[in-house]
């Protein structure tokens, strides 16, 4: 376990836990479930039709699970899992196209519906990459928000959280209705909203931290996350 900038041990992440148990796929299964949507939408952005993208994503994650972290995942994560997964999807498509060519030449390979892939991997993948990063960030926020909701419900404040929810990201500004329904004054409402926003940020940072291997990569990934919305 490494040290963070303050000299404290860098907390174990899903990545480090996977590396400690490289013969198992439990953590990998959770990742596949969590980040299915960004991969599927990335395939669409690369040129796959919606139904085809679903099938290719399914086969991509099936291969990850079949091979497992021991044979598929790098022992040391350089950068972020976001960037690694994006590269893995591209490499998978390239492998499929190569296999398609081998079949055309008479190679004896397992049957795969390579026609689903179509003309993907354009010469410039900048926009698909941006779309993947945007959806990845949204998924990070969804995971953090889900944990925040569970915390509120566990403390008996689920209804209160539901009233605050539209204001957590600043997209809603008219608080008068929520304040009236909650029976609060403006100052108390602002204080509660501040606390929940701060906790939301903490949970987002925790989700990001679980997708990197060290503190330096975490700082870079947080900058990238924030830059997605600027």
């Amino acid at each position: 376990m490494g040290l963070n900038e303050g000299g404290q041990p860098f907390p174990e992440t899903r990545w480090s836990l996977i590396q400690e148990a490289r013969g198992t796929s439990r953590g990998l299964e959770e990742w596949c479930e969590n980040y299915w949507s960004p991969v599927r939408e990335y395939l669409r952005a690369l040129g796959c039709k919606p139904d085809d993208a679903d099938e290719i994503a399914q086969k991509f994650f099936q291969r990850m699970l079949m091979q497992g972290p021991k044979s598929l995942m790098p022992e040391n994560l350089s950068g972020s899992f976001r960037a690694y997964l994006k590269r893995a999807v591209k490499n998978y498509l390239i492998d499929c196209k190569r296999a398609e060519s081998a079949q055309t030449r008479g190679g004896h390979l397992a049957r795969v519906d390579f026609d689903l892939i179509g003309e993907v991997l354009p010469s410039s993948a900048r926009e698909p990459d941006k779309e993947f990063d945007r959806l990845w960030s949204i998924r990070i926020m969804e995971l953090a928000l889900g944990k925040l909701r569970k915390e509120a419900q566990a403390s008996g404040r689920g209804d209160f959280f539901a009233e605050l929810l539209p204001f957590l990201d600043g997209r809603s500004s008219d608080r008068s209705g929520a304040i009236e329904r909650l029976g609060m004054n403006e100052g108390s409402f602002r204080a509660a909203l501040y606390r929940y926003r701060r906790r939301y940020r903490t949970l987002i940072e925790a989700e990001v931290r679980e997708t990197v291997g060290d503190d330096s990569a975490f700082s870079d990934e947080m900058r990238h996350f924030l830059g997605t919305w600027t």
Side-chain angles (χ1 to χ4, degrees), residues 97-117:
K97 295 298 284 185
R98 287 174 176 169
E100 180 184 31
S101 297
Q103 278 194 338
T104 301
R105 294 193 301 270
H108 300 288
L109 298 176
R111 172 64 181 163
V112 179
D113 294 328
F114 295 116
D115 57 309
L116 297 180
I117 299 172

Side-chain angles (χ1 to χ4, degrees), residues 7-32:
Q8 298 298 317
F10 189 80
E12 286 187 318
T13 66
R14 287 178 190 162
W15 184 269
S16 62
L17 291 174
I18 284 177
Q19 300 313 313
E20 290 176 8
R22 285 171 60 79
T24 69
S25 295
R26 184 179 62 180
L28 184 57
E29 289 173 1
E30 182 182 356
W31 259 349
C32 289

Side-chain angles (χ1 to χ4, degrees), residues 83-107:
Y84 170 80
L85 188 59
K86 192 159 48 176
R87 291 194 302 270
V89 171
K90 289 180 179 179
N91 290 337
Y92 175 71
L93 292 175
I94 291 171
D95 288 345
C96 287
K97 295 298 284 185
R98 287 174 176 169
E100 180 184 31
S101 297
Q103 278 194 338
T104 301
R105 294 193 301 270

Side-chain angles (χ1 to χ4, degrees), residues 70-85:
K70 185 174 182 179
S71 60
L72 187 63
M73 301 293 219
E75 292 188 12
N76 297 305
L77 176 63
S78 177
S80 68
F81 185 73
R82 171 188 55 81
Y84 170 80
L85 188 59

Side-chain angles (χ1 to χ4, degrees), residues 125-217:
R126 178 184 301 177
E127 292 308 315
D129 283 358
K130 286 183 178 179
E131 180 66 5
F132 179 88
D133 291 346
R134 185 184 70 85
L135 292 166
W136 179 275
S137 296
I138 289 174
R139 186 56 183 153
I140 289 287
M141 291 189 295
E142 289 174 344
L143 292 170
L145 192 62
K147 291 181 178 179
L148 186 59
R149 179 182 290 106
K150 288 181 179 179
E151 290 179 357
Q153 292 171 342
S155 64
R157 298 176 67 81
D159 292 341
F160 183 76
F161 175 80
E163 290 287 353
L164 286 183
L165 182 58
F167 309 99
L168 282 177
D169 60 5
R171 284 182 294 179
S172 296
S173 57
D174 185 4
R175 307 171 180 176
S176 58
I179 290 174
E180 181 178 355
R181 287 189 295 271
L182 292 171
M184 302 175 68
N185 59 49
E186 178 72 23
S188 297
F189 184 88
R190 284 202 307 267
L193 181 58
Y194 171 77
R195 289 193 299 271
Y196 271 87
R197 282 178 173 170
R198 184 173 60 183
R199 179 59 181 159
Y200 186 27
R201 164 111 186 184
T202 297
L203 291 172
I204 287 175
E205 290 176 347
E207 288 296 327
V208 171
R209 195 179 292 275
E210 288 186 343
T211 66
V212 296
D214 55 47
D215 204 59
S216 175

